[in-house]
Amino acid sequence: MAPPNGDKGTALLEKLSRIDSGKPPFGCMQCGLCAATCPLGPAMEYPPRKLILQTIAGNLDKVLTSPSLWMCVACYACSKRCPRGIELTEELWPALRDAAMQEGHQPPAELQETFQNVFKYGNVLGKSPRQRLQWAKDLDVRVLDLSKDPKPVDVLWLVGCYPSYYPRNQGVARSFARIMTELGVSWGILGTKEKAVGECDRMFGEEGLFETLVEQNRQLFDEQDFGKIVVLDPHAFRALQSFYPRFGAWYPVQHYTQFLEEYIEQLKPLMVKPVEAVVTYHDNCCVGRRCECYDPPRELLKLIPGVKLVEMSRNRDDSLCCGGGGGGMWLDAHIVANGGRRLSDERVQQAADTGADTLAVSCPYELSRFEDAAKVTGLEGKLKVRDIIELMAESMDLGERSIA
Amino acid sequence: MSAQDVLVLVETRGGAVADATFELLAAARELAKASGGEVLAVALGAARAEELKAADRIIAVDDPLLADYSPEPFVAAVREVVAAEQPRAVLVGSTSIGWDVGPLLAARLNAPLATGCQSVRLEGNDLLATTSFCGGKMTAECSLKGAPAILMMLPGCCRPSEETGKGAVEQRKPSAPLAAGAVAFQEWIYPEAGDVDITQQNVLVAVGRGIQQQDNVELAEELAQSLGGAVAASRPVIDQGWLPSTRQVGKSGMTVKPKCFLALGISGAPEHVEGMKNSELIVAVNTDPNAPIFDVAHYGAVADIVDLIPALTESLQKR
Amino acid sequence: MNIVVVVRQVPDLIEPLEIASSGDALDLDAASFIINESDDHALEQALLLKEAGGGGVTVVALDFGDVDNSLYAAAAKGADRIVKIAFDGDVPPPARESAALYAEAIKPLGADLVLVGVQAHDELDGGLSPFLAAALGMPYVGVIRGVKAGDAPGSVVACKEFPGAVMARMNVKLPALLGILGADQPPRYVPVSRIRGAMKTAQFEESAVAAAVAEPLLKVGGLSPPAPAARAEMLAGSEEEIAGRIVEILAEKGLVK
């Protein structure tokens, strides 16, 4: 049966029938678990269940023009809950968004700007590529810039856009450089040549942009001799682990929590300073819910003397997304304008409810999202937001001098 | 008439002479002192000559087609005055009319033109201009060959002066009735009374958490009114629902480049700064002397905005 | 309607600007280039007019900077023809010389309407758009935000922006050249896959035109960066004193009466 939207519907359904992960949406039995678990579902015109229903019925014009198409923040809750194993987050939503843009429907303005920044400058912030090494200025450990000085290394560290440019995250990058050096890791970076990995572009359906980045990054990576890639950004981890291989670009990759966990015995004696804090950890969606890697970050936090680890009621696979995933960083205004909740505001409240004074994170987006949320919800001064790297570096006496 | 005179194109706003014109007259006065000529103000249509006492001669040209604005009649009228007076220089504002008339006049007279002039001066016989370009990131020292030199002046190029000239008024008609040309004025369209577009404002009074309570937003509104601008805000204020999201400045809101951005009680989080850092003039007021907003502001003050805003409004209204 | 759009390259200001060793020009060797913002709006306005009333859009550009990137994007957005003017200078020519070059390339195109961005941030003797109108012998009005087809055939209605969001509606008989400040809509986003497609399929027509080089009427003696922006100059005193000082500063900038 031909779908009502003719060729474009056929093309999309055909694409969805040969998706790379999970099952195609045609097996949906409309149980609605996806919509029930979606944190932004109540505000969506087409929450996941209706999205599938309309898509397979071929009612694409409705779906592709709805503001709710741009409200998914890639938290993976629906994919996780689906009893039929349908991969909504990584397949259905991106495919529909791609189809919308191909039809000439405009994505929200902030997202357009982010795409353009990545296309033009190779970073989401629209900063000069030449200033990508700014974070390492006057750093007290040696930074091997492989783009200038190619040498075999064990670890190719992709610093990431936020840690490279964003002042709040630059200290995390510096601390991670110190920790790796302290551990005697042989590591290098791509310096000013490094580019965004492109996960948010892929998740938001900018497939041509993602493909461009894969080509560019692949060329950069293949010029180097390294054992594995280590990233600070869980989104970059997921993209390199799952999306790059689809283009034949396969590289061993670890999120930093996974990487550091392998050094746990070596790290133990290095934790010399107690960090007196009641800490609760926020599981990010990519490394957490999607890849079910829940223990390494907690093991790292437990290493730190003085840290008392407490859990939020929603943790691990039930963690509440910060709302910044896969491009959500640039959709706050769109989501709120369309009646969505501010997930980060709720999440910091959940953290505070545990009695913790510190919310530990392991994703570059979350520092600014949660600090901003703490300000708005009146938790500023009561709840500190710190990357696990910052807490570890403090205990190793390798931290930034001026961390508030 | 003298080859050393300096001519100013007068513009009006709502019937009164525009502020920018007074700056041009002051700049023209300095040039005329150096050249030994007079300051000529050319008023097209309905400019009030009594406001133009800073000029030596006020040439008021009247024609039905000069009542509103169409490019061809305006250029033709100015060109006729220039042909009759042969001035050394013509000063035009960097305005909607100026961006038509300045270059069109230069093209027709094959006269030199400099845009973005911050200051102009005469050195011997050379007319020199310091101009700003590349978004204010570069300045150039330019010399203009030939007369009249057409200078498009930036706002704030010169402080309006109290100095008056001879103030002689001459009423003129164009030698032949002006022709409408291919571009014909139809009507003025005034902004609808909907919400304000903060990206289109010359002055923004932006408030942050330092505003403390919803009631205080009213104070900012009063200040914005006295400045002819609008109120904008950083995210915490929008989140409280004290202002609509159309007023949000920053990464997830609007990016604005007003002539003046008053950052009141805004600490200067990078998300916010991204949206306002290219404003031409930034004045920040915050209780925290270390607030990062002071790194991007041109002027700063440590004060409580709930006290300062009414003081500002009062100070403006006293003028 | 046969619409011609001029698309220029300007240095991207996210990179620090360098001055050439001669001291009187920018050193553009190290610069990266982007489409001039108001030209991007001119292109959008042309596409909107075409979509509303039919016709064709021809983009004309000087072969300078990273112009191919802008032209592929223009093709992906829906430009029908692209004409590239051969050029091998280190810096774009002065406005009048540029205007003469563009005019030679545009004349054979039989344009009803030519749209050009009203300003480019690297202009010193600026206003390419009015100079080009003069070179083409076309009527001109600039600082336009929004153009629609007119009631009478062979005309458009253009809105000219004045301060305070006031607009003047102008009826423009074609052929004419408009200096565009903004389109009726922001320039559209075109997915990168489309641009990649255009890179494979778009054809550029080469135009080898020449313009007589006259002695420039504006001589640039020297460039310098403006005085570095320092941390805010702090104003001290009582609330009243601070308020008074702020009002003075605003008055100096001509922002209050």
Side-chain angles (χ1 to χ4, degrees):
Chain A
M1 188 185 74
N5 287 88
D7 289 349
K8 76 184 173 203
T10 314
L12 181 70
L13 294 185
E14 206 260 323
K15 182 174 175 177
L16 289 171
S17 69
R18 52 180 167 83
I19 54 177
D20 292 282
S21 69
K23 298 226 167 53
F26 312 112
C28 173
M29 56 184 179
Q30 291 287 303
C31 70
L33 271 177
C34 50
T37 194
C38 176
L40 292 165
M44 288 179 181
E45 184 184 4
Y46 294 104
R49 182 187 67 81
K50 283 190 187 166
L51 190 74
I52 293 182
L53 181 68
Q54 298 295 345
T55 302
I56 58 184
N59 290 329
L60 287 182
D61 284 342
K62 285 186 188 170
V63 170
L64 299 187
T65 53
S66 169
S68 70
L69 186 62
W70 306 99
M71 288 175 76
C72 165
V73 293
C75 79
Y76 291 96
C78 55
S79 303
K80 189 84 186 167
R81 296 278 178 273
C82 179
R84 285 282 168 93
I86 297 169
E87 182 45 87
L88 293 94
T89 313
E90 287 182 354
E91 303 293 351
L92 181 67
W93 286 93
L96 288 168
R97 287 162 167 172
D98 173 54
M101 284 191 280
Q102 297 297 339
E103 289 285 302
H105 303 307
Q106 296 282 295
E110 299 92 330
L111 206 54
Q112 294 178 24
E113 195 187 333
T114 306
F115 289 153
Q116 268 156 358
N117 286 339
V118 173
F119 190 47
K120 251 192 283 185
Y121 308 120
N123 68 77
V124 292
L125 293 149
K127 299 279 187 184
S128 159
R130 287 173 217 166
Q131 287 164 24
R132 196 160 184 123
L133 263 170
Q134 194 185 52
W135 68 272
K137 194 167 175 276
D138 302 327
L139 185 63
D140 44 10
V141 296
R142 182 168 170 264
V143 177
L144 176 60
D145 181 349
L146 298 168
S147 69
K148 289 199 175 131
D149 189 8
K151 284 201 175 82
V153 287
D154 293 334
V155 168
L156 169 61
W157 170 31
L158 299 184
V159 183
C161 299
Y162 274 81
S164 294
Y165 291 110
Y166 213 61
R168 177 65 183 90
N169 294 83
Q170 286 176 330
V172 178
R174 286 191 288 269
S175 294
F176 188 63
R178 293 187 193 111
I179 291 174
M180 279 201 294
T181 306
E182 187 75 7
L183 289 171
V185 176
S186 123
W187 62 277
I189 62 171
L190 294 173
T192 56
K193 297 274 190 274
E194 185 185 306
K195 285 182 182 303
V197 166
E199 187 260 2
C200 60
D201 311 297
R202 160 69 178 62
M203 297 301 270
F204 267 87
E206 231 310 359
E207 291 186 1
L209 176 54
F210 182 64
E211 215 176 309
T212 308
L213 291 168
V214 173
E215 282 167 15
Q216 291 171 342
N217 277 318
R218 187 177 187 173
Q219 196 183 347
L220 284 170
F221 299 163
D222 289 347
E223 283 167 6
Q224 303 300 334
D225 179 357
F226 58 90
K228 63 183 160 194
I229 293 174
V230 171
V231 295
L232 302 186
D233 178 2
H235 304 92
F237 167 74
R238 180 61 191 157
L240 288 164
Q241 181 203 44
S242 176
F243 308 148
Y244 273 55
R246 299 178 190 190
F247 295 87
W250 187 91
Y251 305 95
V253 58
Q254 282 182 315
H255 182 247
Y256 83 81
T257 51
Q258 299 163 327
F259 168 73
L260 288 178
E261 197 206 16
E262 292 176 356
Y263 287 84
I264 228 149
E265 288 310 315
Q266 220 180 309
L267 281 163
K268 256 180 208 165
L270 299 173
M271 300 286 165
V272 290
K273 276 174 62 183
V275 179
E276 297 301 339
V278 182
V279 178
T280 190
Y281 174 68
H282 166 78
D283 289 280
N284 64 65
C285 302
C286 287
V287 168
R289 187 155 34 235
R290 182 61 187 79
C291 298
E292 300 183 336
C293 177
Y294 303 120
D295 293 326
R298 290 176 171 79
E299 292 307 314
L300 293 171
L301 286 168
K302 283 182 201 159
L303 276 182
I304 304 169
V307 163
K308 180 171 177 269
L309 188 62
V310 294
E311 290 291 344
M312 287 182 264
S313 57
R314 294 191 64 175
N315 61 48
R316 296 182 177 244
D317 69 340
D318 189 36
S319 170
L320 178 68
C321 176
C322 75
M329 271 306 263
W330 300 279
L331 288 170
D332 288 325
H334 174 79
I335 287 170
V336 170
N338 286 284
R341 304 141 65 192
R342 280 197 189 280
L343 302 182
S344 49
D345 293 2
E346 288 178 34
R347 192 57 171 162
V348 291
Q349 197 58 60
Q350 291 173 0
D353 288 346
T354 63
D357 54 36
T358 301
L359 173 58
V361 299
S362 60
C363 167
Y365 293 177
E366 287 163 0
L367 279 179
S368 61
R369 290 192 75 75
F370 286 145
E371 280 184 353
D372 208 22
K375 277 184 203 167
V376 173
T377 52
L379 289 168
E380 194 181 15
K382 295 174 198 151
L383 185 72
K384 280 186 197 167
V385 185
R386 301 186 68 183
D387 196 286
I388 293 176
I389 288 169
E390 292 178 306
L391 293 163
M392 290 177 67
E394 185 182 334
S395 183
M396 294 166 80
D397 207 11
L398 298 172
E400 296 288 283
R401 297 288 166 256
S402 59
I403 282 181
Chain B
M1 164 186 145
S2 140
Q4 301 310 326
D5 292 345
V6 182
L7 192 150
V8 168
L9 175 62
V10 174
E11 288 194 47
T12 57
R13 300 262 179 285
V17 172
D19 295 343
T21 296
F22 295 111
E23 296 176 1
L24 300 190
L25 287 167
R29 175 60 63 197
E30 294 305 309
L31 269 186
K33 279 179 190 164
S35 68
E38 294 192 320
V39 174
L40 274 52
V42 177
L44 306 180
R48 281 181 266 174
E50 69 274 14
E51 293 179 64
L52 296 166
K53 291 197 164 62
D56 295 310
R57 289 166 59 205
I58 299 136
I59 301 170
V61 185
D62 203 15
D63 184 278
L65 283 175
L66 299 173
D68 293 299
Y69 172 76
S70 295
E72 194 50 44
F74 265 58
V75 173
V78 177
R79 189 179 177 182
E80 188 169 340
V81 174
V82 169
E85 303 296 336
Q86 299 285 322
R88 178 71 184 85
V90 178
L91 270 53
V92 178
S94 299
T95 58
S96 187
I97 290 175
W99 272 102
D100 284 357
V101 174
L104 286 174
L105 198 61
R108 287 183 199 180
L109 299 170
N110 195 29
L113 170 78
T115 50
C117 298
Q118 291 176 317
S119 63
V120 291
R121 63 199 179 280
L122 264 174
E123 278 178 18
N125 218 10
D126 294 333
L127 210 150
L128 305 174
T130 302
T131 72
S132 168
F133 71 125
C134 286
K137 291 192 171 177
M138 198 56 78
T139 56
E141 295 300 328
C142 302
S143 70
L144 292 93
K145 299 214 172 305
I150 298 174
L151 301 158
M152 291 189 51
M153 308 300 293
L154 286 179
C157 61
C158 204
R159 219 173 154 158
S161 116
E162 297 293 312
E163 206 174 322
T164 53
K166 294 174 190 154
V169 182
E170 304 166 27
Q171 297 287 345
R172 289 191 195 173
K173 291 254 178 223
S175 54
L178 296 173
V183 180
F185 174 87
Q186 282 189 318
E187 61 171 334
W188 293 107
I189 308 165
Y190 296 95
E192 282 172 35
D195 196 40
V196 175
D197 180 356
I198 57 169
T199 66
Q200 300 297 321
Q201 298 288 322
N202 276 336
V203 178
L204 284 177
V205 175
V207 293
R209 278 189 305 157
I211 197 77
Q212 294 173 25
Q213 301 172 36
Q214 181 162 19
D215 296 350
N216 294 336
V217 174
E218 184 66 22
L219 300 173
E221 289 285 359
E222 280 168 35
L223 174 58
Q225 269 172 25
S226 333
L227 283 164
V231 175
S234 62
R235 191 186 137 185
V237 175
I238 305 293
D239 274 6
Q240 296 292 332
W242 296 347
L243 280 164
S245 60
T246 47
R247 306 293 185 101
Q248 185 180 340
V249 172
K251 188 164 72 67
S252 51
M254 306 287 186
T255 299
V256 297
K257 295 184 232 180
K259 293 200 175 10
C260 173
F261 188 93
L262 294 179
L264 306 177
I266 289 173
S267 64
E271 295 90 320
H272 179 77
V273 169
E274 261 181 69
M276 47 66 80
K277 61 178 191 290
N278 293 324
S279 306
E280 285 177 33
L281 171 71
I282 300 169
V283 181
V285 181
N286 204 289
T287 48
D288 173 9
N290 296 317
I293 193 74
F294 294 128
D295 293 335
V296 290
H298 304 99
Y299 294 93
V302 178
D304 187 335
I305 60 161
V306 177
D307 301 327
L308 188 81
I309 293 175
L312 265 173
T313 311
E314 198 187 316
S315 180
L316 278 164
Q317 286 164 352
K318 267 194 260 166
R319 282 175 74 89
Chain C
M1 198 179 335
N2 181 5
I3 309 170
V4 169
V5 179
V6 171
V7 160
R8 284 165 287 178
Q9 296 283 297
V10 291
D12 189 343
L13 298 179
I14 70 155
E15 305 287 1
L17 293 167
E18 306 280 342
I19 298 167
S21 52
S22 63
D24 59 3
L26 292 174
D27 177 1
L28 296 178
D29 281 351
S32 58
F33 291 86
I34 51 171
I35 186 172
N36 179 41
E37 191 180 344
S38 58
D39 293 343
D40 203 10
H41 278 267
L43 172 62
E44 181 63 30
Q45 188 64 66
L47 295 169
L48 292 171
L49 284 168
K50 175 184 124 175
E51 284 158 6
V57 173
T58 304
V59 170
V60 177
L62 210 57
D63 188 359
F64 179 74
D66 303 322
V67 74
D68 285 1
N69 289 341
S70 302
L71 296 181
Y72 287 128
K77 288 178 177 185
D80 302 285
R81 280 177 75 184
I82 287 166
V83 177
K84 205 158 85 168
I85 304 172
F87 179 75
D88 60 2
D90 296 332
V91 291
R96 272 177 247 228
E97 196 182 321
S98 293
L101 275 174
Y102 284 114
E104 287 308 311
I106 291 171
K107 273 174 194 162
L109 299 174
D112 301 309
L113 178 64
V114 181
L115 301 180
V116 186
V118 72
Q119 272 173 300
H121 69 60
D122 61 345
E123 282 174 337
L124 286 164
D125 54 349
L128 170 71
S129 47
F131 284 121
L132 179 53
L136 287 167
M138 283 188 180
Y140 175 78
V141 62
V143 195
I144 297 299
R145 191 179 286 280
V147 185
K148 298 262 192 299
D151 294 332
S155 74
V156 291
V157 173
C159 284
K160 180 173 173 69
E161 186 173 278
F162 283 83
V166 176
M167 298 277 193
R169 201 195 304 273
M170 319 290 274
N171 193 52
V172 182
K173 271 188 225 155
L174 302 181
L177 190 147
L178 304 180
I180 301 291
L181 178 66
D184 279 308
Q185 287 172 19
R188 65 195 61 195
Y189 183 76
V190 59
V192 174
S193 56
R194 288 275 180 85
I195 299 176
R196 286 162 68 97
M199 285 177 180
K200 291 183 189 123
T201 57
Q203 303 283 325
F204 299 158
E205 298 165 40
E206 304 284 336
S207 168
V209 289
V213 181
E215 178 75 7
L217 298 172
L218 185 80
K219 192 165 166 287
V220 180
L223 299 188
S224 55
R231 200 174 146 81
E233 179 184 333
M234 298 304 278
L235 315 170
S238 68
E239 264 86 28
E240 287 69 27
E241 285 162 350
I242 293 171
R245 189 66 191 101
I246 291 175
V247 172
E248 274 174 36
I249 291 163
L250 298 182
E252 280 166 27
K253 305 278 175 187
L255 293 160
V256 292
K257 291 201 179 73

